[in-house]
Amino acid sequence: MENNETVKDRLLLFLKSQNISKAEFARRMGLSVAYVSAMRKSLPEDRVKRLCELFPSLNRDWLLYGEGEMLLQAPKPERSHNEREFLIPLLPIHAFAGTLQEYSQGVQRRDCDLIASPVEGADLAISISGDSMEPEIHDGTIAAIKRINERAFIPWGNPMVIDTENGVLLKVVYPSKMGNDYIEAHSYNPRYPDIQIPTSSILGLYRVVAYMRRVSTM
């Protein structure tokens, strides 16, 4: 429990907690060291105002009246009801229609709905169309994705969103039998053949970090 009774006592306690000497405090306040040493129980209002401007973390009520804690608590950022959710923009396009590059050039974040990703680190979300990835990934699934540096490393054998000149695909990617100038895009649904995609036509590769389903409440 705090036993100091005067403003001066509490001020000296604050300075000690911040490792600020009387001389340094006097310099910042534009006072003499002698003034600080000879200071009585309190400070004039203009000095208190200057003090709080110099040290915004100092609790004015604690200094003047001994109420509350010495330091003000920084406001905590607002969180959703589920603190593990992270809001990311849901692109107004679907896989197999348009390109992510078109999004980045023509659509602003403010134009997108925001959707909660269950994991941290996703850049964007995109809706998946069609049945080529059935039965593992269903039509209407939303994928939370993060762009990777495909020149450094490609996680072969994993589903990736492939942004191409002809549209966006969600496929499992493998090295191509046609050489390093291609990648092989594989569908889970056996009715769809593998696709050899020239690397020159790829605008970006995105790792899928989570899958979600949008549930309507209407």
Side-chain angles (χ1 to χ4, degrees), residues 19 154 192:
N19 294 317
I154 297 177
Y192 290 81

Side-chain angles (χ1 to χ4, degrees), residues 6-195:
T6 68
V7 172
K8 180 178 180 180
D9 291 335
R10 285 189 288 272
L11 174 59
L12 295 177
L13 185 62
F14 169 73
L15 296 179
K16 182 178 179 181
S17 74
Q18 303 297 305
N19 294 317
I20 299 173
S21 67
K22 288 183 181 181
E24 175 64 15
F25 172 70
R27 185 187 66 79
R28 295 193 195 183
M29 288 285 292
L31 304 171
S32 67
V33 177
Y35 178 94
V36 176
S37 298
M39 189 175 66
R40 298 188 177 182
K41 294 182 179 180
S42 190
L43 283 169
E45 180 60 33
D46 60 330
R47 305 287 191 197
V48 173
K49 181 179 179 181
R50 174 63 176 164
L51 177 61
C52 291
E53 289 174 350
L54 286 173
F55 305 100
S57 64
L58 176 61
N59 185 343
R60 187 176 186 274
D61 289 341
W62 174 84
L63 175 68
L64 296 180
Y65 314 115
E67 297 177 357
E69 301 296 327
M70 177 193 297
L71 301 179
L72 297 171
Q73 298 295 318
K76 295 182 179 180
E78 294 184 4
R79 295 286 186 91
S80 64
H81 67 281
N82 183 347
E83 292 196 358
R84 296 191 63 189
E85 292 181 340
F86 303 91
L87 294 179
I88 55 175
L90 174 63
L91 304 195
I93 59 175
H94 289 71
F96 311 114
T99 71
L100 294 181
Q101 187 177 80
E102 288 173 346
Y103 158 77
S104 63
Q105 293 177 350
V107 180
Q108 301 297 318
R109 181 186 177 96
R110 64 175 178 268
D111 299 322
C112 301
D113 291 335
L114 295 180
I115 190 168
S117 170
V119 297
E120 187 176 9
D123 297 326
L124 308 164
I126 187 171
S127 298
I128 308 303
S129 297
D131 63 351
S132 68
M133 299 301 280
E134 297 278 2
E136 302 296 330
I137 304 170
H138 304 292
D139 177 55
T141 295
I142 296 173
I145 59 177
K146 181 177 181 62
R147 182 158 188 167
I148 68 167
N149 181 1
E150 64 271 18
R151 293 180 179 84
F153 172 74
I154 297 177
W156 302 114
N158 290 285
M160 303 280 292
V161 169
I162 311 166
D163 186 20
T164 77
E165 294 173 345
N166 295 322
V168 181
L169 305 173
L170 175 67
K171 300 291 181 183
V172 180
V173 295
Y174 292 101
S176 173
K177 303 179 182 65
M178 298 176 63
N180 294 334
D181 292 334
Y182 292 82
I183 66 168
E184 183 174 292
H186 173 79
S187 299
Y188 286 132
N189 189 331
R191 294 194 298 107
Y192 290 81
D194 294 339
I195 304 172

